[in-house]
Amino acid sequence: MSAAAVRPKARAQARQLGRRAWALLHEDSQRSAQLAAQALDGAGDDPVARGWALLTRGFHELFFATPAEARPVLEAAEAAFTAAGDAAGRILAGTGLARAAWRAGRYDDALGLALSLRGEGLRVLRGEQRGVLLNAIAGCYSAQGRSDLAFAYMYEALRDAGSASGHGLDAVLHCNLAHELLQIGDCHEALRHVDTGIQRCLRLHNPRLCSVLWINRVIGLTELDRTHEAVADIQRISALPADASGRGRLATHYETLAIAALRAGETTLGAELVAHAEAAYHADIPDEHVELAVAQALLARARGRPQAALDALDAVRALAAEPPAQGLSLRVRGLYLLTRADLQEALGDAAGALATMREWQHVHLQRSALASRARYQAAALQTELLRLQQQIDEHDARRRELEALNLQLSRRVAEVQALQEQLRQQATRDELTGLFNRRHLNETLPQMLALAQREGQPLAVAIIDLDHFKSVNDRHGHPCGDRLLAAFGRLLASGCRRSDVACRYGGEEFCLLMPRTDAAAARRKLQALLRRWRAECFDLGGAPLQSLSFSAGVADSLRCPGHEAALLKAADDELLAAKRQGRNRVLAAGGAPELPAAA
C-alpha cells in the first residue's frame, strides 16, 4: 500500500483518538491523557487531530497542574482549531483559557472571555460540549460571588450533560452545585449533591473529582460543626498522591483539611496538613491564602500560642478587610472573622472581639441575601428530575415493571417544566414594563441577526430614550416615573408585530428588534410611535403631564453589516445624534436628516 493511501487512514485514526480522549476527560482521567498523547504522536500536520489532542491535554493540565502550564497548550489547541475551521473545538479551547484565567485569580478577564464565547457557543455546541461552556461561565460567576447567576448556568449545564451522554460531566456539576450551596450556607443540600456526585463517581476513574467531592463534604461537615465525621474523608484525601495519578498540584486544599482536622482536635494531623499547605503551589486565589492563615492560627492556638495565632491572621488582614479582596468568598471571610473574634476574646480584647463579631454579622446577612437571590430550589427540583430520568435509563430492560414510576415521573416533569417556564419568564422579563429585559436581548439578538444574514433579509434595531425623564423623577417622584415607564412599555408592545422583540434596555432606554425590516421602514414605525406618545396625557396627582417625547436611533443589518455589537452601536450613535439635534426625533443610519416631531 502506498504512503499516500496510509496517510489518510493514520489521520482518521489520530482524529478518532483525539475525540475519544476528550470524551474520557472526566470519565477516566488517566486513559484520557494516554489517548491524547497517542493522538498527538500520530497527528502529524493534521490540525483537527492536533486540536482535540491539545485541547484534552490543556484541560488535563488545568485539573492536575497549574494555569501557567495549561495556557500555552490551550492556545496551541485554539490555533489548530482555527486553522481547521472547527468552531466547536475553538470555542472549547477558549473556554479552557477562561478557566485558566479564573484559576489564576484574573476573575474579570475570565468572565469577559467566557461571555464573549456564549453567543456562538450556544449556537454551535450541543450536549456535553455545551455543558462545558455553561459550567465555565458558572464558575466565573461563582468566583465573583454571584451565586444566583452561577446556579442558573449550572443547572442549565446539568440539563445538557445527562448521565448517559455527559461522560461524567454531570458528576462534576453535582460537585460544583455542592460548592455553590456551601457558599450560601445551605450545607445539608450541598451534602446531598456531594452524595449524588460520589455515587456517580463509582462508575468513573477520576480520583481528582472524587477528592474534590470529599473536600466539599469536609467543608459542609465543618460548617455544621460535625468535624469528627470528616476525619475519615481527610485521611482518604491525604492518601491520594499530589500528581496526575491522584489529586494533582492545583487547588489541593490542604489548608481546608487542616482547619477541619484542628477543629476536630486532631492536632498532629492538622500540623502535617498545615505543613503540606505551606509547601503546596498556590495561585493568586484569596480564599486559599486566607484559609491557610486560619489554619496556621488554629494550629498556633492549639499549641498554646494565641498571640502567634492572631499574628497569622493579621498577615492576611488586608485581604479580609472591608472592602474584601475580589474573589474572597463570604464563607471564607466569615470563617476568618469568627476565628479572629475567638482569638481576640481569648487574649482579653473584648472590645475588639465585639467589633469583629459585628463584621461577621454583616457578612452573615450578605450570605443570607445571596442565598435568597439564588433561587436554588429550582435547581434542586431539576436535579431531582434528572435523577429520576437517570433511573429510568439505567433500568430500561425492566420497563414494564417501571410503568408506575414512569407515570410519577411524567407528573413531576410537568410540574418542573411549569416551574421552569415560570422562572424563565422571571429571568427574561422586566417586571415594571412587562417587556423583555437586557439579558433576553443579549441572548436573542445574535440568533435573529444570524437568521437575517442567512436569509439575506434586513434586521432593524431601534434604541429609544425617553426625553427629559430625569426631570419627571425629580419633580414628581420615582413612583410617577415608574408609571410613565410602564405606560411606554404598554405603548411599545401594542405597536409590535408578533415577530418583533421589544426590550427594556436599561433605565429609560428601550430597544426594539424588527426582523425583515430596513432602517427606513423602522424609522416610519418609530415616528408613528412618537406621535402616539406625544398625544398621551397623564394626571400625576392633579399635575397634568403631556407633550412627552422620545429620541430614537435606528440601524439595519444591511447598511451596518457585522456582529450584533456593531448593529447596536450604529443605532446608539444615531440616538446620540438625535439628542444632540434637540431630541424629539428619530434618526436612521444612512438616512435623510430628520425634523423634530410636530408639537
Side-chain angles (χ1 to χ4, degrees), residues 51-68:
W52 287 104
L54 288 168
L55 178 68
T56 304
R57 177 177 287 182
F59 269 79
H60 196 268
E61 297 287 347
L62 278 177
F63 298 149
F64 293 100
T66 68

Side-chain angles (χ1 to χ4, degrees), residues 404-424:
L405 182 59
N406 267 327
L407 180 59
Q408 178 185 354
L409 176 63
S410 298
R411 291 172 180 164
R412 184 60 59 86
V413 167
E415 293 170 5
V416 175
Q417 286 177 338
L419 177 59
Q420 286 177 328
E421 177 59 23
Q422 180 183 354
L423 290 175
R424 189 190 67 79

Side-chain angles (χ1 to χ4, degrees), residues 133-143 146 149-151 153-154 180:
L133 171 61
L134 294 171
N135 183 47
I137 297 174
C140 292
Y141 277 125
S142 173
R146 298 163 72 177
L149 291 171
F151 275 120
Y153 279 99
M154 267 187 247
E180 207 60 37

Side-chain angles (χ1 to χ4, degrees), residues 270-502:
E272 292 175 2
L273 291 165
V274 169
H276 285 312
E278 291 170 342
Y281 166 83
H282 286 282
D284 191 17
I285 306 295
D287 272 7
E288 293 182 14
H289 296 306
V290 173
E291 280 197 293
L292 177 56
V294 170
Q296 291 167 331
L298 292 175
L299 179 59
R301 181 167 187 184
R303 290 172 170 173
R305 299 167 56 208
Q307 185 58 53
L310 192 58
D311 291 343
L313 295 182
D314 283 341
V316 295
R317 190 168 187 178
L319 292 176
E322 187 67 38
Q326 185 186 28
L328 182 65
S329 67
L330 293 174
R331 180 187 68 81
V332 172
R333 190 173 179 221
L335 173 65
Y336 170 89
L337 291 170
L338 279 177
T339 307
R340 184 177 188 85
D342 194 31
L343 283 169
Q344 287 171 318
E345 184 179 11
L347 289 167
D349 183 7
L354 180 60
T356 302
M357 284 304 297
R358 285 175 179 155
E359 287 186 69
W360 174 85
Q361 186 178 34
H362 177 64
V363 170
H364 180 69
L365 290 174
Q366 286 180 299
R367 204 173 174 191
S368 298
L370 184 62
S372 177
R373 292 197 304 269
R375 299 178 183 272
Y376 62 86
Q377 293 90 340
L381 281 174
Q382 183 157 352
T383 303
E384 182 181 359
L385 171 61
L386 289 170
R387 188 184 301 110
L388 289 172
Q389 185 64 56
Q390 176 185 335
Q391 291 173 2
I392 292 174
D393 292 340
E394 293 173 347
H395 296 86
D396 191 60
R398 298 188 296 114
R399 184 166 296 174
R400 292 182 180 179
E401 299 174 23
L402 297 176
E403 288 180 357
L405 182 59
N406 267 327
L407 180 59
Q408 178 185 354
L409 176 63
S410 298
R411 291 172 180 164
R412 184 60 59 86
V413 167
E415 293 170 5
V416 175
Q417 286 177 338
L419 177 59
Q420 286 177 328
E421 177 59 23
Q422 180 183 354
L423 290 175
R424 189 190 67 79
Q425 289 288 335
Q426 293 174 359
T428 60
R429 290 282 181 181
D430 174 62
E431 184 177 356
L432 178 62
T433 63
L435 303 177
F436 289 111
N437 59 19
R438 182 72 170 267
R439 175 184 176 183
H440 183 78
L441 173 68
N442 292 340
E443 294 176 349
T444 302
L445 177 54
Q447 300 169 9
M448 293 180 69
L449 180 57
L451 179 61
Q453 290 169 341
R454 281 199 304 271
E455 295 180 343
Q457 293 288 337
L459 170 68
V461 173
I463 300 180
I464 307 162
D465 185 278
L466 301 187
D467 292 333
H468 307 296
F469 182 77
K470 184 177 183 298
S471 65
V472 175
N473 279 336
D474 293 343
R475 196 181 323 159
H476 301 285
H478 286 277
C480 293
D482 288 349
R483 182 180 164 193
L484 250 62
L485 290 171
F488 186 77
R490 290 192 295 271
L491 180 69
L492 184 57
S494 70
C496 287
R497 301 169 299 175
R498 292 184 65 180
S499 59
D500 295 341
V501 177

Side-chain angles (χ1 to χ4, degrees), residues 46 174 188 253 273 316 323 519 530:
D46 180 59
H174 282 296
H188 293 290
H253 293 286
L273 291 165
V316 295
L530 178 54

Side-chain angles (χ1 to χ4, degrees), residues 171-192:
V172 174
L173 289 162
H174 282 296
C175 181
N176 293 347
L177 281 166
H179 168 82
E180 207 60 37
L181 287 160
L182 290 170
Q183 301 312 303
I184 63 174
D186 192 342
C187 299
H188 293 290
E189 185 67 13
L191 292 175
R192 190 175 73 80

Side-chain angles (χ1 to χ4, degrees), residues 27 128 157-171 173-174 196 200 203-204 386-394:
E27 260 186 290
E128 165 266 344
L158 192 59
R159 186 181 66 181
D160 289 323
S163 61
S165 59
H167 302 292
L169 181 61
D170 61 320
L173 289 162
H174 282 296
T196 301
R200 182 73 178 100
R203 287 171 288 170
L204 307 178
L386 289 170
R387 188 184 301 110
L388 289 172
Q389 185 64 56
Q390 176 185 335
Q391 291 173 2
I392 292 174
D393 292 340
E394 293 173 347

